[in-house]
């Protein structure tokens, strides 16, 4: 008599690090996110958040901008020194300077408080999809599930992109990109020499509709240029951006 086939292991819960100094908001966010099945580790200040980040593995970080000690922007910079983990910033005022500073520090996206839990979860899911992004096999029908693929090597001057292994190099030197930066580059690489409008990039990369903030595109393009070369992605004023062939 054959032994029963063991049941597949349950997927590991997604681990979130929430750094928020307001106790009421911290508890409310924690309870709400745990109801969605996330495992949440909460910290009340930036330095404690940094210690938690260094001690444990997290799938995504949610950082308030205004934190005692080490603020969210400084914490994001510290994280980016060693990790490409997705980072979602929260700004209480929706201040443009806070938003820009957070994105420049390496954050992938932001929300303005007070934020509806459904919106927060939608942003989290979008970031996690980018973090686990895998291209479909070449020539596969769009309705098929992505499967194993060796991918192809795309070359744009001294920039190379292996679509299977998601490896990026400039002049033969590997370049580390965050999940959002990588998906943005893949979007450009799929349309070399073609101008992509900001709202198209917001929809395809950030999963935003028409009401998305184009600053996230501009700042992510700026970060990509810093890693790939200033002239690699060209600005077409009044329209958007294009990757030079």
């Amino acid at each position: 008599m054959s032994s029963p086939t063991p049941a597949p292991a349950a997927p590991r819960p997604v681990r979130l690090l929430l750094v928020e100094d307001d106790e009421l908001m911290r508890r409310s966010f924690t309870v709400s996110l745990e109801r969605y099945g996330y495992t949440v580790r909460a910290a009340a200040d930036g330095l404690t958040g940094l210690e938690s980040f260094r001690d444990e593995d997290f799938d995504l970080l949610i950082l308030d901008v205004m934190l005692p000690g080490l603020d969210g922007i400084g914490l994001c910079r510290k994280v980016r020194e060693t990790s490409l983990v997705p980072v979602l910033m929260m700004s209480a005022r929706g201040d443009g300077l806070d938003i820009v500073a957070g994105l420049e520090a390496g954050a992938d996206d932001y929300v303005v408080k007070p934020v509806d839990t459904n919106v927060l979860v939608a942003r989290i899911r979008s970031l996690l999809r980018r973090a686990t992004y895998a291209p479909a096999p070449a020539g596969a029908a769009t309705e098929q599930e992505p499967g194993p693929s060796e991918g192809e090597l795309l070359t744009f001057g001294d920039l190379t992109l292996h679509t299977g292994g998601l490896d990026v190099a400039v002049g033969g030197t590997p370049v580390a990109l965050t999940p959002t930066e990588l998906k943005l580059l893949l979007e450009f690489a799929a349309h070399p020499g073609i101008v992509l409008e900001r709202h198209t990039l917001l929809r395809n990369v950030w999963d935003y509709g028409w009401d998305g903030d184009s600053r996230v595109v501009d700042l992510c393009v700026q970060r990509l240029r810093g890693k790939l070369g200033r002239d690699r992605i060209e600005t077409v004023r009044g329209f958007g951006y294009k990757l030079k062939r």
Side-chain angles (χ1 to χ4, degrees):
M1 183 175 180
S2 59
S3 58
T5 303
R12 179 180 66 83
V14 173
R15 293 180 53 81
L16 308 179
L17 173 61
L18 168 67
V19 188
E20 165 63 65
D21 65 321
D22 185 285
E23 183 177 0
L24 182 60
M25 284 189 175
R26 188 169 64 251
R27 289 182 177 177
S28 176
F29 284 139
T30 298
V31 170
S32 297
L33 292 172
E34 287 178 341
R35 285 175 179 166
Y36 278 87
Y38 298 113
T39 298
V40 182
R41 172 74 177 270
D45 61 82
L47 290 175
T48 302
L50 181 60
E51 290 177 2
S52 297
F53 164 74
R54 288 173 172 171
D55 289 343
E56 302 178 43
D57 291 327
F58 294 98
D59 299 292
L60 185 141
L61 312 185
I62 305 171
L63 312 179
D64 187 28
V65 171
M66 303 298 292
L67 294 171
L70 179 65
D71 66 15
I73 294 168
L75 175 54
C76 185
R77 289 197 180 100
K78 289 287 187 183
V79 168
R80 284 289 174 256
E81 290 176 1
T82 59
S83 174
L84 300 176
V85 64
V87 174
L88 177 64
M89 301 292 296
M90 294 193 297
S91 171
R93 299 172 299 178
D95 189 302
L97 292 177
D98 282 350
I99 293 166
V100 169
L103 295 171
E104 285 181 334
D108 297 280
D109 202 353
Y110 76 93
V111 292
V112 176
K113 296 188 296 185
V115 56
D116 182 83
T117 302
N118 292 328
V119 173
L120 180 61
V121 170
R123 297 292 178 85
I124 290 171
R125 287 173 174 169
S126 176
L127 283 173
L128 292 172
R129 282 196 296 272
R130 276 175 253 162
T132 58
Y133 174 79
T142 55
E143 66 271 13
Q144 292 179 335
E145 290 294 323
S149 173
E150 293 183 0
E152 57 182 321
L153 184 65
L154 304 179
T155 303
F156 308 94
D158 63 349
L159 167 66
T160 58
L161 167 61
H162 190 274
T163 61
L166 301 179
D167 300 312
V168 179
V170 175
T173 301
V175 177
L177 301 180
T178 68
T180 301
E181 292 165 353
L182 179 57
K183 191 169 183 185
L184 181 59
L185 177 58
L186 287 165
E187 189 69 21
F188 281 126
H191 308 88
I194 297 175
V195 178
L196 300 180
E197 297 180 343
R198 288 175 175 84
H199 69 79
T200 299
L201 295 170
L202 282 169
R203 182 180 64 246
N204 294 347
V205 177
W206 280 267
D207 296 336
Y208 279 4
W210 286 86
D211 59 345
D213 189 339
S214 64
R215 283 176 293 189
V216 297
V217 177
D218 298 334
L219 269 297
C220 195
V221 167
Q222 179 178 310
R223 296 207 310 262
L224 262 183
R225 284 172 168 163
K227 295 180 178 183
L228 305 180
R230 305 303 305 176
D231 300 326
R232 183 69 57 199
I233 301 171
E234 180 180 344
T235 301
V236 181
R237 293 190 180 278
F239 293 92
Y241 301 98
K242 69 178 179 180
L243 178 67
K244 291 184 179 180
R245 294 179 181 273

